Amino acid sequence: MNQKRKIRILVAKPGLDGHDRGSRIIARAYRDAGFEVVYTGLHQTPEEVVQAAIQEDVDMIGLSSLAGAHMYLFPRVLELLKENGADDIVVCGGGIFPEEDIPKLKKIGIKEIFTPGTPLGEVVNWVEENVKPRS
Amino acid sequence: MVIAEKIISGDIRAVARLIRDIDDTVPEAREVLKDLYPYTGKAYVVGITGAPGVGKSTLVDQMIAHLRKAKKTVGVLAVDPTSPFSGGAILGDRVRMQRHSMDEGVFIRSMATRGYFGGLTQSTRSAIDVLDAMGKDYIIVETVGVGQDEIDIVRSAHTTIITLVPGMGDDIQALKAGILEVGDIFVINKADREGADRTINDIRLMIEMDEKRYKDGWKPPILTAQAVFDKGVKEILGEIENHRKHLLSSKQMQSIFKYEKARNDLVEMIKDRIVSDVLADIIHSREFEEALQLIMERKIDPYTACDNIVLKKIKKGNK
Amino acid sequence: MFKKESIEKIGVDNKKWQQLFQESVEKAPERLKRFSTVSDHPVQNLYTPLDIKDLDYSNDIGFPNQYPFTRGIQPTMYRGRLWTMRMFAGLGSARDTNKRFHLLVNEGQTGLSTAFDMPTLMGYDTDSPRSRGECGKCGVAIDSLKDMEILFDGLPIDKITTSMTINPPAPVVWAMYIAMAEKRGISRGVIGGTIQNDMLKEFIAQKTFMCPPRPSMRLITDTVEFATKEVPRWNPISISGYHIREAGSTAVQELAFTLSDGITYVEAALERGLDVDSFAPRLSFFFNSHLDFFEEIAKYRAARRMWARIMKEKFKAKDPRSMWLRFHTQTAGCSLTAQQPYNNVIRTAIEALAAVLGGTQSLHTNSLDEVLAIPTEEAATIALRTQQIIAEESGVANTIDPMGGSFYVERLTRDMEEEALEYIRKIDDMGGMVAAIEKNYPQLEIADAAYKYQKQIDSKEKTVVGVNKYVTEEELPVEILQIEAELEENQIKWTNQIKDTRDNKKVKESLEKLGEATQRDDNLMYLIIDAVKEYATEQEVCDVFREAFGIYRDPGVY
Ligand code: B12
Ligand SMILES: Nc1nc2c(ncn2[C@@H]2O[C@H](COP(=O)(O)OP(=O)(O)OP(=O)(O)O)[C@@H](O)[C@H]2O)c(=O)[nH]1
Ligand SMILES: [Mg+2]
């Protein structure tokens, strides 16, 4: 049989942040690039995000955060992934982050951070270059 | 056997990955499915179908809540369409059920049709087996909301629920030939809107006109619901239970159901296999290319060319 | 508006001129393939009397303070009094924000505008597990009446008005404000201000959620009734297009959805048995000012005309003040860029100018660091100065509705009115805004517009300076505001302390009473005030609502 791997992505909105204009645009852009996208909707706890990612067997989680709680939420997601033996899932983030937080987030394992003004093409290319569907 | 054991013991990551492999048609997944087969056949499978936006996912969400209160475990397979333009998809059913994601007794998986018609994915049947083997009591399958022809679900589900909304009026006439004939239970959701009574009447008429529909003694009930407000959901589960009892009521019913299911599963499986292997073989053969050339030069008609190729292939297979 | 003969002559001349124009274009093509507004409304090369020949001056444009109020609601407009310069502020603890408020009042600001943090906006206390990491990040944290008392400590709340951007828990936060005033001996009859309290646009755009749409309407109508009877100087709803636009809508969608929301609130109040002229004068509006200068001016003018007609014709209002569309404006946060942040000062100035030329009653101007974090003091000051320069140096406030009579602006005003009416009709056909929201209709319309706009930027069909054109590598350092980490811990301790020292028996009783009343038709405001006076926390009261009315979850439509 011919194996047809497809990239699966979870676009997630952790925390109480309601800014979803960006995340929904990103979800559409991923779809239009040929990926399968699961969107969690707003107001998710890190626990809910991680469970969804595991059940959906995604290759990547895209965390969107514009309300400034990323320094709690993002590390927590990574921690839970590890606890569940799912830290092979690539995690990237997008939204609004003070400059000095970005290296900190990358250091703990957020693979990339996208900030306002990033063209959709760039966001999509990054996935193509950095996320491989599991072999 | 390692993977199969993990699945049987309910390892969520292993289940999720196996379904992925099935979806991606990874050959090894078949081997695991073989190992799992002895452990299947215990779950009760409910299919939910209906036009886009009628509230299928919302209904599933509420059904999960009720089943969980009754201490039943639940697996959900929710199918959404793949974009024919990009090959991508946004799988939007999960978001309606996401409140159950922390519940260990619930496993929810979104799937994309990937060009497969019939309301399910090519992998759904096997994915049901996986959730069955993992020990889920109920498996609910939400089909893609395409409207008329998502009838594959009946071949996989014990009980098929057709969801409609008030005021579909003329649409119901159009549906007649398609999905209405396969429903075991009809649900008029969004009954908070006007026109539910009329829709009930329309459906009742159609069921009554179609006598052969309930020759086996099951007359499909018609229920109203307001899924968002959790109204009428208990009753739906009640009717599912009644239908289950009906299926179990006699040896004859049981064996008809089992025979039909086994037969369909096997036919579909063979079909898939032929399409994926034999067809691929043919398309990549020299004869195929040659035939194409001849057709383009109009030296042969496509009918004869087809006969030649297929008959030869089958004969070879027979040896 | 024009004589038949002169229109005919202009018609002939226009044809000739268009020919000349075409000839020039053939020699040197136009700069763009297609000219359109930010909202993608097509724009002609020239506007003439021909484009507005169907308008009637008296009926459609008229005079300031006269129906249909296209040119403004007050008789003297800015010649009498300038708009209110109201800057949105809130950060950290109540004590921190109180300091900022004192500063703003000393700077000459005449109204306060409160930004709350995410837990407060969503009806959770700081100690809720859902609030982890969020305390004070996006605004001020308010858990109990104690925080409200500190927030306004020493501020002359009998003289200045206070606007509070709060929605699902609006009745609770307002109750705290009233209780705070009364504790200071200032009666509810005297205090003035606004609560946003516009849940419909929350479902559509801003997405702070608590209960489903229908019970939310009940809570809102309780506040409208309560304001009408008890707090006459208060605006109980600020019907907001701002958030709709920021979520990515077009100008017409902003206009249409906002007015549809307004219609829904009026209908609910009428159903409650209130007389239209008893409450309608206290409904206020809140619009966005985006970058397309003329489109925005036309939008405000169309909004005034449409609302006046709706109130008079549909709801039979008699008091002209019921027909007035009074509005606050905020410049478009989403038009600002992280790249070359100082350019944001210019963008904000253009947007502020449009709001003023559109006749706004009050204005918030965004700061140059909008895309980075909540504003620093310096950045907020420049933004305020922008308004002061427009008001007192530019001369645009010297005459009323200076854009009135511009062929382009009048035509655009009319186009927007027509297109918005089309939307409103569509929503009516669905059974009104609540039903449309339940179908996710406005949400999806906006998502489509947002995606389209994003793709236009990506393809450079629309220019964003510093982002897809005139890009520079070097980044200017901009100082940004950080909220200290201990805040959350301290706030939790503080609220626990209050919970330990209050009369918990009375708190429980007051919440039980409230719970029972939710099942009847009682106006809940009285009991909410009783509960917060006992120092019931925001979440404790909101949990009563969640229990009684259910929880609304994001439908997650994309
Ligand atoms: C639009 C907007 C709103 C709208 C949101 C509408 C909606 N449904 O989304 C409205 C008006 C409702 C709003 C409200 C509030 N807002 Co606001 N808002 C903005 C604003 C102006 C633009 C955000 C935006 O949508 N940009 C357009 C989209 C397309 O860009 P984007 O989201 O940045 O996404 C891009 C990248 O970041 C990246 N990306 C984003 N997500 C993801 C995810 C993945 C997986 C990937 C790969 C990439 C990616 O790719 C995108 C494309 O380039 C920003 C400031 C700014 N200019 O950025 C403030 C801002 C985010 N808001 C802010 C605040 C404080 C609020 C409020 C809390 C105010 C209050 N106290 O009442 C409320 C809270 C609302 C809520 N429920 O959460 C602050 C946050 C402060 C902070 N982080 O420290 C900001 C920074 C403004 C400010 N300086 O004060 N807001
Ligand atoms: N008024 C009303 N709305 C409902 C009811 N049930 C569901 N809805 C709403 O209908 C919309 C669609 O619901 P879904 O559950 O996503 O429908 P679906 O059939 O799964 O949709 P697809 O998967 O896209 O085909 C949502 O906004 C629901 O909130 C109901 O009983 N009454
Ligand atoms: Mg669905």
Side-chain angles (χ1 to χ4, degrees), chain B residues 90 95-96 99 193, chain C residues 439 553 555-556 558:
Chain B
I90 298 183
V95 77
R96 303 258 185 280
R99 67 171 163 143
R193 299 214 188 128
Chain C
K439 289 195 174 79
R553 289 191 179 77
Y558 40 85

Side-chain angles (χ1 to χ4, degrees), chain B residues 53 55-58 93 96 142 189-190 192 226-227, chain C residues 438 440:
Chain B
K56 299 181 290 295
S57 305
T58 314
D93 296 323
R96 303 258 185 280
E142 176 183 339
N189 190 38
K190 308 199 186 184
D192 48 316
Q226 298 177 29
Chain C
E438 287 170 346
N440 299 310

Side-chain angles (χ1 to χ4, degrees), chain B residues 8 62 67 80 140 206 248 259 264 266-267:
Chain B
I8 293 155
Q62 301 287 16
L67 288 168
D80 265 323
I140 307 178
M206 290 187 35
L248 295 174
Y259 175 82
N264 280 318
L266 193 56
V267 168

